[in-house]
Amino acid sequence: PQDGAATLGRMADDFATKLRWRMDTPEWSNAVETSQRDPRIIIGTSDGGAHLAKDDQADWSSYFLATWVRERKVWTLEEGVHQITLMPANLLGLPDRGSLKVGGWADIMIFDADTIGPWRKEFVNDLPGGGGRYRAYGHGVHATIVNGQPIVLEGKLTGRLPGAVVRPI
């Protein structure tokens, strides 16, 4: 039987098979679009790191830009970037963050709007005490710049760590 064959397959690889969960039905898509448009909603995902050993949706921003901005056109590119930068910064009491201005703080992701999207994830054990988490890689991302210094260029870490803890004003 099929169920038996699937169980034997999982046992043969010591249950190392990983499956990606998708709920993309028309009903789900409509509900998510409606939620995104509600002004009380912050677009994004987080459980504060409570489930790092599970798929923590670390690729949510590239997924959002690819799916809800480029493909489904729920947002223009400018609106989509606003929703994931300035909107949460303002709601979190960080008025000096979330936009580009001369002399201001900025973390910048340089990406190609035509190719941005999630690509792959890998599980890495790089947390204190050997703890693990998923590291996400995206298509179309060229650089991440923090406080004027590149920390990632074409998918490679530069070794620079110019970031700082941010607290509401």
Side-chain angles (χ1 to χ4, degrees):
Q2 286 293 72
D3 291 345
T7 300
L8 289 175
R10 288 191 301 268
M11 289 172 31
D13 72 359
D14 197 27
F15 292 91
T17 299
K18 299 207 183 320
L19 304 172
R20 188 163 178 107
W21 180 277
R22 288 207 54 141
M23 300 183 306
D24 201 353
T25 65
E27 295 81 8
W28 178 86
S29 294
N30 289 336
V32 171
E33 182 175 339
T34 299
S35 296
Q36 286 183 19
R37 294 252 179 223
D38 189 306
R40 298 168 294 181
I41 296 292
I42 299 175
I43 293 175
T45 181
S46 177
D47 63 3
H51 301 97
L52 288 177
K54 306 285 186 225
D55 185 354
D56 65 351
Q57 304 299 312
D59 56 359
W60 74 268
S61 59
S62 60
Y63 172 82
F64 171 75
L65 292 170
T67 304
W68 297 100
V69 172
R70 184 181 63 238
E71 294 168 13
R72 297 182 181 177
K73 301 184 184 335
V74 172
W75 306 95
T76 66
L77 181 59
E78 295 79 7
E79 290 169 336
V81 169
H82 173 83
Q83 288 296 320
I84 63 175
T85 57
L86 186 59
M87 179 69 69
N90 285 340
L91 288 170
L92 294 171
L94 304 168
D96 58 341
R97 308 293 170 130
S99 65
L100 295 176
K101 32 190 156 171
V102 175
W105 296 95
D107 296 348
I108 304 167
M109 181 177 77
I110 299 173
F111 64 93
D112 180 342
D114 294 329
T115 60
I116 185 79
W119 176 36
R120 70 179 176 88
K121 291 183 180 182
E122 67 179 351
F123 195 77
V124 295
N125 291 300
D126 63 353
L127 296 174
R133 66 180 178 91
Y134 278 93
R135 179 182 296 156
Y137 298 87
H139 283 294
V141 179
H142 300 293
T144 303
I145 301 168
V146 174
N147 295 328
Q149 297 184 46
I151 63 166
V152 181
L153 292 172
E154 300 301 337
K156 305 282 187 231
L157 296 172
T158 65
R160 297 179 181 153
L161 300 171
V165 175
V166 178
R167 291 185 171 80
I169 294 177

